[in-house]
Amino acid sequence: MRKLNDVLKKTGVEIYREITAVALYSMITSLVLVTVVMFVPLWAALVLLPVLYMPLFYGVCYAYHRKTERGKSRLKDVFQGALKGLGPSVVMGFFFVVMTLILWSTWWYYGGKEGIGYLAIGVFQTYFVIMALISQFYTFQLVIQEGMGIFKAMAHSVKLFLKFPAYTLGACFQAFCVAIPLLVTVVGFGFLFNGMWAIYQHKVTYNVLNPEEAKPAEDGVVASEARGVSI
């Protein structure tokens, strides 16, 4: 199985080759994200993000998977993927919303109280939420690459996390280190993050699912020249 640093390097090369698709797909999904976050009340945003944003995010992941199969990126794959993955993406979207609400309510309630016990509960709840989120790192890719149902994919993602804890934590840490600078620039996040995430997550998951095949297969993906974006 490839080391994470090798996967990250291959991801960087692939992003460079597919920069047009990465920017275009990221921009489309980010427009929905910005619109919902900035112009919609919080309670409505918690509903619209899973229903609107997450399917498009899934569509970006699906489009890159189709690119690895076909050797060519197509914009319509994003929308086809969004429709095809509507159910799984909505389920995952509301899962993220629930985890966020748990984290927010924990610190809203216990953060205002004095005492080491309340602080310990807050820290434990935060740890629980973070681990729950990390355990779902592979879910979308299991649905896309393996054709699993969403709940089976969520359960299998937990199993992969428990089987490869250091690898999964390292992958999430690398993604976090890339996301933070992009968030600071804002524009960089809007034009790059979703496309970069789709490529990186695909390669990391494929590496776990096919430890013996990952090296030659990924070399083949990287070796294929980008052929533009079909609309």
Side-chain angles (χ1 to χ4, degrees):
M1 188 166 70
R2 282 187 181 275
K3 295 180 180 179
L4 273 175
N5 286 340
D6 293 334
V7 175
L8 187 62
K9 290 176 183 177
K10 297 298 182 183
T11 301
V13 173
E14 186 73 0
I15 291 170
Y16 175 77
R17 293 182 183 276
E18 290 291 309
I19 189 61
T20 302
V22 167
L24 179 60
Y25 300 167
S26 299
M27 180 181 65
I28 291 171
T29 52
S30 295
L31 283 174
V32 175
L33 177 64
V34 171
T35 301
V36 172
V37 171
M38 294 188 65
F39 301 107
V40 175
L42 179 60
W43 65 267
L46 294 177
V47 175
L48 291 178
L49 285 175
V51 174
L52 296 180
Y53 175 70
M54 288 303 292
L56 285 174
F57 183 82
Y58 179 95
V60 174
C61 296
Y62 176 82
Y64 178 71
H65 177 68
R66 293 290 293 155
K67 187 267 175 187
T68 63
E69 294 179 327
R70 188 175 48 237
K72 187 176 183 179
S73 295
R74 299 191 308 178
L75 179 58
K76 68 178 183 179
D77 286 337
V78 176
F79 300 106
Q80 288 178 349
L83 291 175
K84 186 175 181 179
L86 182 62
S89 57
V90 168
V91 170
M92 284 301 298
F94 280 110
F95 171 79
F96 291 140
V97 167
V98 170
M99 291 296 104
T100 301
L101 289 176
I102 290 175
L103 188 60
W104 174 82
S105 61
T106 294
W107 288 106
W108 173 79
Y109 183 77
Y110 295 108
K113 296 182 178 293
E114 297 182 357
I116 191 67
Y118 295 114
L119 177 62
I121 293 174
V123 171
F124 173 79
Q125 287 281 73
T126 301
Y127 173 81
F128 166 79
V129 169
I130 292 174
M131 289 298 104
L133 293 174
I134 291 176
S135 73
Q136 296 306 308
F137 179 84
Y138 305 103
T139 300
F140 270 1
Q141 293 300 325
L142 289 171
V143 175
I144 294 170
Q145 295 186 37
E146 299 295 309
M148 294 184 182
I150 181 59
F151 296 108
K152 182 178 180 180
M154 292 176 74
H156 195 65
S157 183
V158 174
K159 293 179 181 178
L160 289 176
F161 171 51
L162 295 176
K163 186 176 181 180
F164 304 103
Y167 180 88
T168 307
L169 289 171
C172 291
F173 180 75
Q174 285 185 341
F176 178 80
C177 290
V178 172
I180 292 302
L182 291 177
L183 277 171
V184 172
T185 60
V186 180
V187 174
F189 182 88
F191 280 88
L192 293 174
F193 180 73
N194 289 341
M196 293 173 62
W197 175 268
I199 295 173
Y200 181 66
Q201 191 185 47
H202 186 281
K203 290 183 178 296
V204 169
T205 305
Y206 186 90
N207 195 32
V208 168
L209 296 175
N210 306 276
E212 299 300 325
E213 300 176 20
K215 186 175 178 58
E218 287 191 357
D219 285 342
V221 169
V222 172
S224 63
E225 294 292 335
R227 302 177 188 174
V229 182
S230 297
I231 300 179

